[in-house]
Amino acid sequence: MADARASILAGIRAALRDRPPTPPVPRAYRRTGEASVELLAERVAHYRAAVHVVAEDGLGALLGDLLAGRVVVAPADLPWDVPGVTWLRDDPPLPLDRLDEADGVLTGCAVAIAPTGTIVLDAGAAQGRRALTLLPDYHVCVVRADQVAGSVPEALARLDPTRPLTFISGPSATSDIELDRVEGVHGPRTLVVVIVRGAT
């Protein structure tokens, strides 16, 4: 077996021996753009997600309205504690069946991209592990104004490529061969994005 492996690798090395040098990749594309709360809200809504823009002092009341009476998963370091909610803290990590039974999840994000209406999670502060935002059917995501980027390159420059990155543009949706849209196949059917104006 070892001889076969060595033989295959030797063949690959031999085939690559005379490969041409890699040409430089043009990087002259636009790297920044409009990073406004208004543009992000417009583009997120385009993907059939619910959007709320709120001042920092109104965040608690809005989260209370959005989550009242629900059983909600919370990352272990979630900074918002809203009354009237049954919280399932992911500390220690909840089993998958508990996540699947929850009504929803509340998280923050790493960055949001205004021109594409995309929010990005990297399992960092207030986000928790990836499974938290895939199994519950209702995802409320809080975006601070200073997390809004004006382009994809600008957003990528803020992210650590070694972290598990999840890009979310609207509720989970896919289409079959007849182009019939089906929501909720790979994640929550309902996405609510709360943009906190002026928060840093």
Side-chain angles (χ1 to χ4, degrees):
M1 181 64 75
D3 290 342
R5 178 177 182 273
S7 176
I8 291 171
L9 291 176
I12 293 173
R13 289 189 191 98
L16 295 176
R17 190 171 298 133
D18 62 347
R19 68 185 185 279
T22 303
V25 177
R27 302 285 185 187
Y29 47 78
R30 186 164 53 95
R31 291 182 167 273
T32 189
E34 179 182 345
S36 72
V37 167
E38 291 75 17
L39 180 59
L40 175 63
E42 175 193 323
R43 298 296 162 83
V44 169
H46 179 75
Y47 283 109
R48 296 166 59 169
V51 186
H52 300 269
V53 179
V54 64
E56 192 163 14
D57 60 2
L59 177 60
L62 176 60
L63 292 179
D65 291 342
L66 294 171
L67 301 174
R70 296 178 187 263
V71 177
V72 179
V73 173
D77 61 347
L78 192 76
W80 310 289
D81 189 11
V82 182
V85 178
T86 302
W87 293 105
L88 295 177
R89 290 273 173 187
D90 193 44
D91 185 21
L94 296 163
L96 296 182
D97 59 338
R98 295 294 303 280
L99 296 177
D100 195 33
E101 292 168 1
D103 297 322
V105 59
L106 172 64
T107 72
C109 74
V111 66
I113 308 169
T116 64
T118 304
I119 58 175
V120 186
L121 309 183
D122 68 355
Q127 298 161 63
R129 56 198 168 108
R130 181 175 281 172
L132 303 190
T133 56
L134 293 179
L135 291 178
D137 202 32
Y138 180 75
H139 181 191
V140 178
C141 182
V142 176
V143 179
R144 301 190 320 267
D146 68 337
Q147 293 178 307
V148 180
S151 69
V152 173
E154 185 181 329
L156 292 176
R158 299 187 191 183
L159 296 167
D160 179 350
T162 65
R163 298 186 66 86
L165 301 177
T166 304
F167 289 69
I168 302 171
S169 297
S172 169
T174 189
S175 294
D176 62 15
I177 196 169
E178 300 294 331
L179 299 182
D180 292 328
R181 180 183 170 98
V182 179
E183 297 185 343
V185 176
H186 308 295
R189 282 180 292 185
T190 302
L191 174 66
V192 180
V193 177
V194 177
I195 306 171
V196 186
R197 191 186 293 279
T200 59

